Amino acid sequence: MAEHRPRCVLAFSGGLDTTVAVHWLTHERGFEVITLSADLGETKDAEELQRRALHAGATAAHVVDAKELFLTNFVWPSLQAGALYQGVYPLATALGRPLIARLLVEVARETGAAAVAHGCTAKGNDQVRFDVAVGALAPALQVVAPLRDWQMGRSEEIAYAAENGLAVRATKESPYSIDANLWGRSVETGVLEDPWVEPPEDAFDWTVDPARAPEAGLVVEVHFEQGLPTRLDGEELAPVDLVTRLNVLAGAHGVGRIDHVEDRLVGIKSRELYEAPAAVVLDFAHREVESLTLARDVLRFKRLVADEWAQLTYDGLWFSALRQSLAAFVGSTQHFVTGDVRLHLRQGAIRLLGRSSPSSLYRRELATYERAEDQFRHQSAEGFLNIFGLPLRTQASIQGNLLEESIPLLKSAPRGIAQGGPPADPADADEP
Ligand code: ARG
């Protein structure tokens, strides 16, 4: 009766969880399982992945090279937005999920599947991102999350795999839960669960210990074209090559480590470690080009948008109407964000050496303190300030005695007073 089983497309990583899930969905839930593995930069061996999926009982195993899609459709707009969750996390995992969800939906449509499935647990953000994104793209599709449904812990999963003859990767189990793609590597659990504990070196894979990084550091130059990085040290590079190379270069100098106590959507505070060398460098550099090319009020408003964008992305609302509207705003700000940034990466730190742009709003003849070159109209300052300060003067003259500023501060600060007047007797020159 196999031909009557409903189809389910499972996001498949090849690890223990999703391997067991293929078997479980087939035998406990009666699905015909099709797997989808999206390569966002970490898939080493696509054929091996496909073999594993088929061996576990999948009837077809799709592998999609989604690296470029990931960068151009998800990462680049977020870089332009300047989105960092809680001001620090460049959102690598959070940006990958909506893309995988969208690919799941597309394969489900192609194959006439009734359901999609993912291997996320009930405590994390990733389940939110999958479930909500699939709902936004295909409200009629059922979403199955085996790890939320089955009552197995890790050792039960290993036993289940052994009982059912599933090949589980023989590598030593990492003490951490890790998710990685081109934009960053997320590390959690194990000893990291104590926020007081310094992250051990074995938690890191992309970055060297800053204290052991080369003393001389490295100078890099990034070129942006309308808010997107296109050249590294003068060399034109495709997005995937640029990010891959920058991850290696910056990682070798210990740049890109982030230790974050973050607030999950499900209400839990969680200690997370990230390695995101390219993301950290590009975010830093992009801000510098914007500092030259965007107007003050746009910069300020854009910071609000960045925060909102980060939260929407983190919370799994990538496909919401608000995120799309914000994208229209962000896109409209990037037309002149073209220019170069020169940085010194050294022992975990980024130091700015310089920035330039053909559309720079910086004008030396306005900024300079050299009298001869100065074109700023000094005479206008007085009139400008007369009007700019008018509301405060008005209020002070009418309500001044009620304002906090009417309480003298002088009484509460030690004061020294030196008196002028006729030359003093040299004998008491040192007296105050
Ligand atoms: N806390 C990060 C986030 O919510 C990373 C999650 C990492 N996922 C994982 N399965 N290890 O985006």
Side-chain angles (χ1 to χ4, degrees):
M1 295 256 293
E3 58 280 6
H4 294 308
R5 289 184 297 163
R7 288 195 171 129
C8 176
V9 186
L10 167 71
F12 183 73
S13 72
L16 175 66
D17 291 338
T18 52
T19 303
V20 170
V22 174
H23 191 276
W24 187 86
L25 286 165
T26 306
H27 294 92
E28 306 294 326
R29 294 293 298 269
F31 283 112
E32 176 197 333
V33 177
I34 293 168
T35 61
L36 167 76
S37 307
D39 179 7
L40 305 187
E42 281 296 289
T43 303
K44 262 128 216 145
D45 188 343
E47 281 169 31
E48 162 72 6
L49 255 183
Q50 288 171 310
R51 266 196 302 278
R52 289 175 159 281
L54 298 178
H55 173 80
T59 57
H62 300 236
V63 179
V64 180
D65 177 350
K67 295 195 285 286
E68 173 134 13
L69 283 180
F70 177 50
L71 291 181
T72 54
N73 293 290
F74 294 83
V75 171
W76 278 178
S78 300
L79 174 67
Q80 291 181 316
L84 298 174
Y85 181 60
Q86 297 190 315
V88 292
Y89 167 38
L91 294 160
T93 298
L95 286 165
R97 301 313 187 193
L99 169 56
I100 299 171
R102 185 155 166 191
L103 296 173
L104 282 174
V105 168
E106 288 185 22
V107 174
R109 289 215 172 100
E110 239 177 50
T111 59
V116 297
H118 59 74
C120 304
T121 66
K123 277 182 101 165
N125 297 310
D126 290 328
Q127 55 162 354
V128 179
R129 297 166 186 153
F130 276 117
D131 286 43
V132 173
V134 170
L137 299 169
L141 267 183
Q142 186 194 350
V143 184
V144 189
L147 274 86
R148 274 193 315 227
D149 297 345
W150 68 37
Q151 298 301 315
M152 293 189 275
R154 195 156 180 99
S155 42
E156 286 98 338
E157 284 181 40
I158 293 170
Y160 182 103
E163 259 165 52
N164 294 287
L166 303 176
V168 175
R169 216 172 293 175
T171 52
K172 203 170 117 253
E173 197 199 320
S174 163
Y176 309 105
S177 163
I178 296 162
D179 179 69
N181 61 44
L182 275 171
W183 203 231
R185 184 171 175 270
S186 309
V187 191
E188 46 192 21
T189 73
V191 292
L192 300 175
E193 286 179 359
D194 183 348
W196 176 250
V197 168
E198 180 184 347
E201 270 312 299
D202 73 351
F204 300 102
D205 190 33
W206 293 10
T207 55
V208 306
D209 179 352
R212 286 173 213 280
E215 274 226 32
L218 176 75
V219 174
V220 292
E221 213 173 291
V222 189
H223 176 78
F224 286 83
E225 224 26 81
Q226 303 200 335
L228 296 178
T230 55
R231 292 207 288 267
L232 198 56
D233 293 325
E235 188 182 343
E236 194 92 30
L237 290 170
V240 174
D241 297 327
L242 190 143
V243 170
T244 305
R245 193 177 299 184
L246 196 51
N247 271 331
V248 174
L249 291 180
H253 291 274
V255 170
R257 292 187 173 188
I258 299 159
D259 185 333
H260 183 203
V261 171
E262 92 188 16
D263 288 278
R264 291 192 185 167
L265 177 61
V266 291
I268 303 171
K269 278 196 190 290
S270 160
R271 197 276 190 92
E272 313 262 333
L273 219 57
Y274 298 104
E275 293 184 279
V280 166
V281 170
L282 291 175
D283 176 76
F284 185 105
H286 179 258
R287 278 170 212 281
E288 290 301 327
V289 187
E290 285 194 330
S291 74
L292 284 178
T293 54
L294 298 189
R296 179 172 97 134
D297 49 358
V298 174
L299 282 170
R300 185 169 60 89
F301 191 75
K302 203 167 165 289
R303 279 198 292 275
L304 305 178
V305 171
D307 221 36
E308 193 61 37
W309 181 296
Q311 176 125 344
L312 288 168
T313 304
Y314 188 84
D315 289 355
L317 298 170
W318 180 267
F319 296 113
S320 65
L322 178 55
R323 213 279 310 160
Q324 284 174 39
S325 299
L326 295 183
F329 167 75
V330 169
S332 74
T333 63
Q334 298 296 295
H335 188 75
F336 293 108
V337 185
T338 292
D340 295 281
V341 182
R342 210 165 72 255
L343 304 167
H344 188 198
L345 313 179
R346 183 172 174 273
Q347 300 191 318
I350 305 177
R351 195 161 59 88
L352 178 80
L353 299 179
R355 65 297 239 181
S356 76
S357 167
S359 308
S360 177
L361 302 174
Y362 178 91
R363 287 186 55 198
R364 196 180 128 79
E365 61 275 27
L366 292 179
T368 186
Y369 281 92
E370 298 296 329
R371 206 84 185 108
E373 296 155 62
D374 193 359
Q375 288 179 19
F376 185 78
R377 288 172 53 142
H378 291 243
Q379 348 46 293
S380 300
E382 194 181 334
F384 165 70
L385 291 170
N386 185 22
I387 290 174
F388 182 71
L390 179 60
L392 269 65
R393 290 201 311 279
T394 305
Q395 190 170 20
S397 66
I398 297 165
Q399 305 169 346
N401 54 343
L402 296 177
L403 298 175
E404 200 187 314
E405 281 69 32
S406 64
I407 304 163
L409 287 180
L410 269 178
K411 281 205 216 51
S412 41
R415 150 161 56 169
I417 301 175
Q419 298 288 2
D425 185 341
D428 47 45
D430 280 347
E431 296 295 309

